[in-house]
């Protein structure tokens, strides 16, 4: 199976380069984006001779589409159509190529799986769905909900064309909707990698900002749960069989939620998450505008009222309770597990080196915590690698973790704008669904999540 590398300009050494799967093979397997185009991935090969067998495979984020109309709109964007993919991808955090920011993983093979299915790499609907084209309602397009097939095709391509069959260490990771995909598909990917890479010694998963809580809005509406159920059903999402077996048949859709899928997963995991995630406070709790007022990232809750803070602390408590009885029961307590859960107002902050290096709990940074967990032998108590958030204070400055201010100070009150930064009252207009500092999509995690056409929240996006 061949792949096609596309390079339209001089590529900075730190950027990942786009590869598209061969169109005929994608079509034969039905492993296509929403619009039927072949999927793709971004890659930077290992930069040291002793890391060629080490891989990070990272699932891109960008919300979901929960209706044919929202998916048809999404199919005309980079979130559903590979002809709209950028030729290169800048990203930091665990995929940063700079040793000073990412000492453990900087020289590994780095791969970002481009997200073009709208269902967290989980859909497997057999038939295509004809639907009016959002750009020309007089004609129909065919929508394909094939995220799980896309995932399999891209993993096979990494093995067959890039030598992943020689892998000794593999980290599956992902941010936001890709973080949810990591929770959902970690065991499936692990089975595939183990079967194709006989020398594999270590396989673990790192979901980033992917633990979305099925929580009502401040006004008591179950917007998020309804949207996720609709996404699950529309995409015919494939989830953990073990999770489904634990629930009545009518509740199988709940396995599309992180808390249910995480509880049933066998892959060792190190979730990275804020207990008061900006996206969740904005889109699930619906507590304010994106990066505005009380939810301004740079201010870190400094201008929030006591009523808002109590609501946020209640949300954080509910999230931790859903995680396994406040991390005291089930999977979070098993040897080899870990987590880094802070209280910073952020979303996918791991993708920015300022936050990856800067956010800390008990003087251990996010980067240090992840590196220590990865280096562990898998038998250490989970408590040794689990970092807890603090509770927001009702008295100023409200933010209980000083490191949240350290990272925010490097960007200013609203964070860097970059070439795709904020575009007015509707929020950021970047295109990559990350918070990478500078470059494409700087601090624009909600560009794809809630402001791109085809987003599922708030009735298909504001």
């Amino acid at each position: 199976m061949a792949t096609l590398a596309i390079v339209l300009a001089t590529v900075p050494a730190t950027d990942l380069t786009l590869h598209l799967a061969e169109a005929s093979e994608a079509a034969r397997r039905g492993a296509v984006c929403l619009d039927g185009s072949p999927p793709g991935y971004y890659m930077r090969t290992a930069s040291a001779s002793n890391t060629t067998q080490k891989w990070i495979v990272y699932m891109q984020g960008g919300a979901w589409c929960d209706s044919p109309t929202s998916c048809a709109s999404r199919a005309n964007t980079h979130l559903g159509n590979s002809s709209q993919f950028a030729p290169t991808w800048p990203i930091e955090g665990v995929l940063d190529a700079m040793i000073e920011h990412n000492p453990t993983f900087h020289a590994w093979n780095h791969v970002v799986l481009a997200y073009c299915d709208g269902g967290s790499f989980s859909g497997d609907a057999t038939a295509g769905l004809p639907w009016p084209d959002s750009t020309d309602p007089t004609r129909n397009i065919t929508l394909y909900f094939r995220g799980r097939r896309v995932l399999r095709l891209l993993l096979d391509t990494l093995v067959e064309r890039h030598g992943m069959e020689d892998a000794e260490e593999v980290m599956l990771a992902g941010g936001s909707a890709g973080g949810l995909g990591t929770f959902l598909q970690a065991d499936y990917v692990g089975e595939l990698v183990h079967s194709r890479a006989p020398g594999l010694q270590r396989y673990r998963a790192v979901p980033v900002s992917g633990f979305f809580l099925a929580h009502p809005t401040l006004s008591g509406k179950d917007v998020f749960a309804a949207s996720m159920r609709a996404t699950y059903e529309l995409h015919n999402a494939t989830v953990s069989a073990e999770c489904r077996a634990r629930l009545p048949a009518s509740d199988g859709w709940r396995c599309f939620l992180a808390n249910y899928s995480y509880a049933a997963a066998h892959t060792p995991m190190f979730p990275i998450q804020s207990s008061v995630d900006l996206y969740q406070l904005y889109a699930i709790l619906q507590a304010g505008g994106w990066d505005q007022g009380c939810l301004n990232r740079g201010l870190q809750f400094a201008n929030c009222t006591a009523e808002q803070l109590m609501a946020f602390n209640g949300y954080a408590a509910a999230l931790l309770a859903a995680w396994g009885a406040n991390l005291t029961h089930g999977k979070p307590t098993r040897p080899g597990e870990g987590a880094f859960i802070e209280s910073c107002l952020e979303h996918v902050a791991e993708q920015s080196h300022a936050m990856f290096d800067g956010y800390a709990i008990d003087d251990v940074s996010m980067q240090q915590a992840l590196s220590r967990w990865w280096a562990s032998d898998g038998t250490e108590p989970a408590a040794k690698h689990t970092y807890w958030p603090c509770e927001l204070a009702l008295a100023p400055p409200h933010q209980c973790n000083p490191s949240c201010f350290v990272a925010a100070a490097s960007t200013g009150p609203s964070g860097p704008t970059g070439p795709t930064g904020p575009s007015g009252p509707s929020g950021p207009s970047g295109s990559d669904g990350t918070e990478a500092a500078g470059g494409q999509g700087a601090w624009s995690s909600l560009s794809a999540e809630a402001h791109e056409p085809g987003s599922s929240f708030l009735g298909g996006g504001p």
Side-chain angles (χ1 to χ4, degrees), residues 144-161:
Y144 299 90
F145 307 105
R146 304 281 179 74
R148 177 74 170 258
R149 300 191 198 185
V150 166
L151 177 60
R152 175 63 186 264
L153 174 61
L154 296 182
L155 291 170
D156 286 346
T157 301
L158 295 178
V159 169
E160 295 166 11
R161 297 302 181 188

Side-chain angles (χ1 to χ4, degrees), residues 325-363:
N326 295 311
L327 307 182
T328 63
H329 177 74
K331 181 174 174 61
T333 66
R334 296 173 192 161
E337 300 292 331
F340 189 94
I341 310 172
E342 23 78 11
S343 63
C344 303
L345 185 61
E346 57 91 356
H347 185 64
V348 290
E350 171 274 326
Q351 295 178 14
S352 162
H353 71 73
M355 291 71 176
F356 191 50
D357 295 342
Y359 287 167
I361 298 174
D362 295 331
D363 296 322

Side-chain angles (χ1 to χ4, degrees), residues 56-84:
I56 297 175
V57 178
Y58 198 99
M59 294 181 176
Q60 182 193 359
W64 309 271
C65 59
D66 64 357
S67 69
T69 299
S70 64
C71 291
S73 180
R74 186 182 181 104
N76 287 303
T77 75
H78 71 285
L79 291 171
N81 182 334
S82 63
S83 71
Q84 303 299 312

